[in-house]
Amino acid sequence: MNGNRYDAVIVGAGPNGLAAGITLQRRGLSVLIVEAKESIGGGMRSAELTLPGYVHDVCSAVHPMALMSPFFKSIPLRELGVEFIQPTLAAAHPFDDGNAAILDQSVTKTADSLGVDRSAYLDFMGGLVDIIPDILPNLLGPLTFPRHPLKLANFGLKALPSATWSAGKFKAKEARGLWAGMAAHSIQPLENAATSAFGIMLMAAAHLYGWPIPKGGSQSLANALGDYFKSLGGEIRTNFRVSNLKELPDSKAVLMDVTPRQLVQIAGNELSSSYRSRLQSYRYGAGVFKVDWALGEPIPFTAKACRRAGTVHIGNTIEEIAKYEAGIAKGIHSDKPFVLLAQQSTFDHTRAPKGKHIAWAYCHVPNGSNVDMTAAIEQQVERFAPGFKDVIKAKNTMSPGQIESYNPNYIGGDINGGIQDIFQLYSRPILSVSPYRTSAKHIYICSSSTPPGGGVHGMCGYHAATQALKGIFKVTNK
């Protein structure tokens, strides 16, 4: 390094690290972001993982929280070249009888597709869609006094129960299965308290903003954020792996886009023993096993609705999904996993050669699992799309260990930076009025291990930077 003094140095150029850098740089500070890999992006990277010309998203592919995020709304993404593509349907959920439930951007159209549960869905989601924009600051940040306490209470009454309890509002398999697929994004047993919050937020995001796919791959979103940061005067250095804070140039503040385990490893000597002890008790959740395919044809789903959806949840009934997710929490693998699948090339023709396609999928597995789930995942897709295996041209798989090697923040394949159960939803990494501050005055943590947790939204980085502006630089972020 050249010995320059910076106001702030940020370790990690994922969405939260970039968000933190932009937030600080906008206030006229001098900011350096260092990144271990040769490219920026974290969970927003794309690459030709299978064959030349087939562009796959290495980690995150579909971004339900992107257009909902107050931080992303503040960035001129379109001017920076980002084009969000909205699939015809946000999601579809097929069943063994050849039918599928759908998640449309319209609340009414979604409800209309659910037959006997039409009124129940409108009653459950209709009012929430109206109030969520007003309470987003509370939902996408640390615990603070709400500006709309009654609206937040209304949300809480529906969000705090378990997903299996909330499913009791619906009678038929279509609505119950659709709901289970949404709630299973929590990556924990559906019987756990507050798993309903995940289903609600994902459905609300679809109804309010859609589930967009960045044209050309998630890397385009990362590159846009990096370009914007540099246009503000920020500096990025890649191929810079940090194992000790002493390797960083002098600065007034250090913001770490890492999970608690790496924070202790990198900055342990700077942290108090009590704070280190609390970080060491932080809990990580289940991992994921991922497969990317290069395809000769689109996936031949039996249910036509699935062919119009950007995301397909493959798990059949709520009973089947709940059983699988409960087993994962107990360390049990099954040959019928709940599969989350994206088919980006159906809507973004830049992802594959003309007439060809890609698909992206993963299932949940016990943290650090060494079990190869490729065959089980492909069989689940084949179950609802007979002939799928025949259109596979090439594939790339990533086990939890390989995912962690690729991105050290994904401990044991945990893509959410720690389990997001009710005990660790807002108390991440510790219970604190300012969870982004560490015991060292100049060190902040800005990863998904802080509120509001996992997802491509940048809000963890934004809030950490806001706290640093106030705590160290004595300025407010307005």
Side-chain angles (χ1 to χ4, degrees):
M1 302 297 289
N2 57 19
N4 289 342
R5 180 183 178 90
Y6 297 89
D7 288 312
V9 175
I10 298 170
V11 178
N16 288 308
L18 291 167
I22 289 170
T23 303
L24 295 173
Q25 196 69 44
R26 278 173 160 172
R27 300 299 296 168
L29 304 182
S30 58
V31 184
L32 169 69
I33 298 177
V34 298
E35 166 59 42
K37 300 188 76 67
E38 63 182 17
S39 64
I40 64 172
M44 301 183 295
R45 292 193 178 98
S46 305
E48 294 182 341
L49 298 176
T50 56
L51 298 172
Y54 293 79
V55 180
H56 303 272
D57 293 314
V58 183
C59 301
S60 182
V62 183
H63 304 299
M65 303 303 294
L67 298 184
M68 181 180 273
S69 165
F71 170 74
F72 278 126
K73 287 181 180 179
S74 75
I75 307 296
L77 292 174
R78 180 172 291 277
E79 290 83 347
L80 292 164
V82 176
E83 180 180 342
F84 280 118
I85 297 172
Q86 293 283 5
T88 308
L89 296 173
H93 189 112
F95 297 92
D96 282 333
D97 63 7
N99 294 318
I102 66 167
L103 179 64
D104 190 277
Q105 188 159 357
S106 164
V107 178
T108 302
K109 288 183 179 179
T110 301
D112 288 344
S113 74
L114 298 177
V116 66
D117 287 308
R118 180 184 188 279
S119 295
Y121 188 81
L122 288 174
D123 180 64
F124 186 66
M125 283 302 302
L128 288 171
V129 169
D130 292 335
I131 67 173
I132 279 178
D134 290 333
I135 58 176
L136 271 180
N138 294 103
L139 301 180
L140 297 181
L143 287 172
T144 56
F145 186 79
R147 293 179 57 188
H148 303 278
L150 293 180
K151 292 181 179 180
L152 187 62
N154 186 13
F155 173 87
L157 287 173
K158 293 183 177 181
L160 288 177
S162 71
T164 50
W165 188 90
S166 296
K169 299 178 182 295
F170 307 118
K171 298 177 181 178
K173 72 176 188 302
E174 288 79 11
R176 290 167 59 81
L178 180 68
W179 169 248
M182 300 296 156
H185 281 257
S186 63
I187 318 182
Q188 55 187 293
L190 301 191
E191 295 80 10
N192 282 9
T195 44
S196 289
F198 293 84
I200 289 171
M201 288 299 289
L202 287 171
M203 285 176 155
H207 294 320
L208 290 166
Y209 308 104
W211 285 12
I213 297 170
K215 184 177 181 179
S218 294
Q219 188 72 52
S220 66
L221 183 56
N223 292 343
L225 293 175
D227 291 343
Y228 184 64
F229 171 69
K230 289 186 286 187
S231 75
L232 297 172
E235 182 180 347
I236 298 176
R237 300 199 179 190
T238 56
N239 293 310
F240 193 95
R241 186 174 298 276
V242 179
S243 58
N244 191 293
L245 288 184
K246 294 180 180 179
E247 299 165 354
L248 298 176
D250 190 22
S251 67
K252 298 175 183 176
V254 177
L255 283 77
M256 306 288 289
D257 187 4
V258 301
T259 77
R261 184 175 299 181
Q262 296 109 295
L263 180 62
V264 170
Q265 293 171 346
I266 296 171
N269 292 336
E270 301 282 339
L271 307 174
S272 69
S273 59
S274 62
Y275 183 75
R276 286 200 310 271
S277 177
R278 295 172 74 184
L279 291 182
Q280 288 165 346
S281 66
Y282 186 77
R283 294 175 296 117
Y284 293 92
V288 303
F289 185 99
K290 178 174 178 281
V291 185
D292 287 282
W293 298 283
L295 306 174
E297 299 174 16
I299 299 176
F301 283 109
T302 300
K304 292 182 180 180
C306 293
R307 304 180 188 184
R308 299 185 291 122
T311 299
V312 181
H313 288 161
I314 299 174
N316 201 36
T317 64
I318 185 173
E319 291 79 13
E320 194 171 311
I321 295 170
K323 180 180 179 180
Y324 180 79
E325 295 300 319
I328 292 303
K330 298 175 182 177
I332 301 170
H333 296 80
S334 165
D335 60 356
K336 290 186 177 180
F338 169 62
V339 176
L340 302 94
L341 181 146
Q343 41 190 6
Q344 304 96 310
S345 60
T346 302
F347 309 95
D348 179 4
H349 303 304
T350 69
R351 302 293 189 97
K354 186 176 181 179
K356 308 302 180 183
H357 288 271
I358 62 165
W360 165 111
Y362 69 87
C363 71
H364 304 145
V365 293
N367 190 283
S369 167
N370 293 317
V371 175
D372 188 339
M373 296 295 290
T374 308
I377 290 174
E378 290 183 348
Q379 186 55 42
Q380 280 288 75
V381 181
E382 181 83 14
R383 174 181 173 185
F384 300 97
F388 166 69
K389 296 178 184 179
D390 296 332
V391 305
I392 298 173
K393 296 173 63 67
K395 71 186 73 172
N396 180 77
T397 65
M398 295 181 74
S399 67
Q402 291 169 322
I403 290 171
E404 181 179 349
S405 295
Y406 182 81
N407 187 335
N409 274 2
Y410 296 156
I411 303 293
D414 177 354
I415 59 176
N416 274 340
I419 189 169
Q420 293 186 198
D421 61 13
I422 194 169
F423 304 107
Q424 206 167 259
L425 189 59
Y426 284 99
S427 60
R428 49 198 299 121
I430 65 170
L431 181 61
S432 169
V433 294
S434 179
Y436 314 96
R437 297 185 62 175
T438 72
S439 60
K441 182 179 179 180
H442 66 295
I443 301 174
Y444 288 71
I445 179 170
C446 65
S447 70
S448 60
S449 297
T450 64
V456 176
H457 45 63
M459 294 304 294
C460 306
Y462 168 81
H463 288 300
T466 298
Q467 288 293 313
L469 283 169
K470 181 180 179 181
I472 295 179
F473 301 101
K474 309 303 178 184
V475 296
T476 58
N477 183 37
K478 293 183 179 178

Short mmCIF file of all heavy atoms in Angstrom, two decimals, residues 27 45 95 100 105 110 262 281 325 362 426 429:
data_model
loop_
_atom_site.label_atom_id
_atom_site.label_comp_id
_atom_site.label_asym_id
_atom_site.label_seq_id
_atom_site.Cartn_x
_atom_site.Cartn_y
_atom_site.Cartn_z
N ARG A 27 -20.70 11.57 1.62
CA ARG A 27 -20.53 12.61 2.62
C ARG A 27 -19.18 13.30 2.51
O ARG A 27 -18.78 14.05 3.39
CB ARG A 27 -20.71 12.03 4.03
CG ARG A 27 -22.07 11.40 4.27
CD ARG A 27 -23.20 12.41 4.12
NE ARG A 27 -23.11 13.45 5.12
CZ ARG A 27 -23.80 14.58 5.11
NH1 ARG A 27 -24.63 14.82 4.12
NH2 ARG A 27 -23.66 15.48 6.07
N ARG A 45 -22.02 -12.00 -8.29
CA ARG A 45 -21.07 -12.28 -9.35
C ARG A 45 -21.68 -13.19 -10.41
O ARG A 45 -22.55 -14.01 -10.12
CB ARG A 45 -19.80 -12.93 -8.79
CG ARG A 45 -18.97 -11.98 -7.93
CD ARG A 45 -17.59 -12.57 -7.69
NE ARG A 45 -16.75 -11.67 -6.92
CZ ARG A 45 -16.54 -11.75 -5.61
NH1 ARG A 45 -17.14 -12.71 -4.92
NH2 ARG A 45 -15.76 -10.89 -4.99
N PHE A 95 -47.26 -28.85 -8.74
CA PHE A 95 -47.71 -29.98 -7.93
C PHE A 95 -47.73 -31.24 -8.79
O PHE A 95 -47.69 -31.17 -10.02
CB PHE A 95 -49.10 -29.70 -7.36
CG PHE A 95 -49.13 -28.52 -6.43
CD1 PHE A 95 -49.42 -27.25 -6.91
CD2 PHE A 95 -48.82 -28.68 -5.09
CE1 PHE A 95 -49.43 -26.16 -6.07
CE2 PHE A 95 -48.83 -27.59 -4.23
CZ PHE A 95 -49.13 -26.32 -4.72
N ALA A 100 -50.13 -25.74 -11.08
CA ALA A 100 -49.16 -24.92 -10.36
C ALA A 100 -49.84 -23.70 -9.77
O ALA A 100 -50.75 -23.13 -10.38
CB ALA A 100 -48.03 -24.48 -11.28
N GLN A 105 -47.38 -10.33 -9.97
CA GLN A 105 -47.16 -9.02 -9.36
C GLN A 105 -48.48 -8.44 -8.85
O GLN A 105 -48.49 -7.66 -7.90
CB GLN A 105 -46.50 -8.05 -10.34
CG GLN A 105 -46.08 -6.74 -9.68
CD GLN A 105 -45.01 -6.00 -10.46
OE1 GLN A 105 -44.53 -6.47 -11.48
NE2 GLN A 105 -44.64 -4.82 -9.97
N THR A 110 -52.98 -13.13 -8.30
CA THR A 110 -52.48 -14.24 -7.48
C THR A 110 -53.64 -14.88 -6.73
O THR A 110 -53.78 -16.11 -6.73
CB THR A 110 -51.42 -13.74 -6.49
OG1 THR A 110 -50.34 -13.14 -7.20
CG2 THR A 110 -50.89 -14.89 -5.65
N GLN A 262 -15.02 -14.39 10.92
CA GLN A 262 -13.87 -13.71 10.31
C GLN A 262 -13.48 -12.45 11.05
O GLN A 262 -12.31 -12.08 11.10
CB GLN A 262 -14.16 -13.38 8.85
CG GLN A 262 -14.35 -14.58 7.96
CD GLN A 262 -15.80 -14.71 7.55
OE1 GLN A 262 -16.68 -14.94 8.37
NE2 GLN A 262 -16.07 -14.55 6.27
N SER A 281 -20.31 -17.03 20.07
CA SER A 281 -21.54 -17.78 20.30
C SER A 281 -22.56 -17.55 19.19
O SER A 281 -23.67 -18.08 19.25
CB SER A 281 -22.15 -17.40 21.65
OG SER A 281 -22.58 -16.05 21.65
N GLU A 325 -37.39 -29.49 5.39
CA GLU A 325 -36.67 -28.43 6.10
C GLU A 325 -36.44 -28.80 7.56
O GLU A 325 -35.40 -28.47 8.12
CB GLU A 325 -37.44 -27.12 5.98
CG GLU A 325 -37.55 -26.58 4.55
CD GLU A 325 -36.20 -26.29 3.91
OE1 GLU A 325 -35.31 -25.77 4.60
OE2 GLU A 325 -36.04 -26.61 2.72
N TYR A 362 -30.72 -24.52 -6.21
CA TYR A 362 -30.05 -25.02 -5.02
C TYR A 362 -31.07 -25.62 -4.08
O TYR A 362 -32.28 -25.38 -4.18
CB TYR A 362 -29.24 -23.93 -4.30
CG TYR A 362 -30.03 -22.84 -3.63
CD1 TYR A 362 -30.50 -22.97 -2.32
CD2 TYR A 362 -30.29 -21.63 -4.29
CE1 TYR A 362 -31.20 -21.96 -1.70
CE2 TYR A 362 -30.99 -20.61 -3.66
CZ TYR A 362 -31.44 -20.77 -2.37
OH TYR A 362 -32.14 -19.77 -1.75
N TYR A 426 -32.93 -9.84 14.81
CA TYR A 426 -32.49 -8.45 15.04
C TYR A 426 -31.29 -8.37 15.97
O TYR A 426 -30.62 -7.35 16.04
CB TYR A 426 -33.64 -7.63 15.62
CG TYR A 426 -34.67 -7.25 14.58
CD1 TYR A 426 -35.85 -7.96 14.45
CD2 TYR A 426 -34.45 -6.18 13.71
CE1 TYR A 426 -36.79 -7.61 13.48
CE2 TYR A 426 -35.37 -5.82 12.74
CZ TYR A 426 -36.55 -6.55 12.64
OH TYR A 426 -37.47 -6.21 11.68
N PRO A 429 -24.98 -9.10 15.04
CA PRO A 429 -24.34 -10.30 15.60
C PRO A 429 -24.51 -10.42 17.12
O PRO A 429 -24.30 -11.47 17.68
CB PRO A 429 -22.88 -10.10 15.23
CG PRO A 429 -22.70 -8.61 15.28
CD PRO A 429 -24.00 -8.05 14.74
#
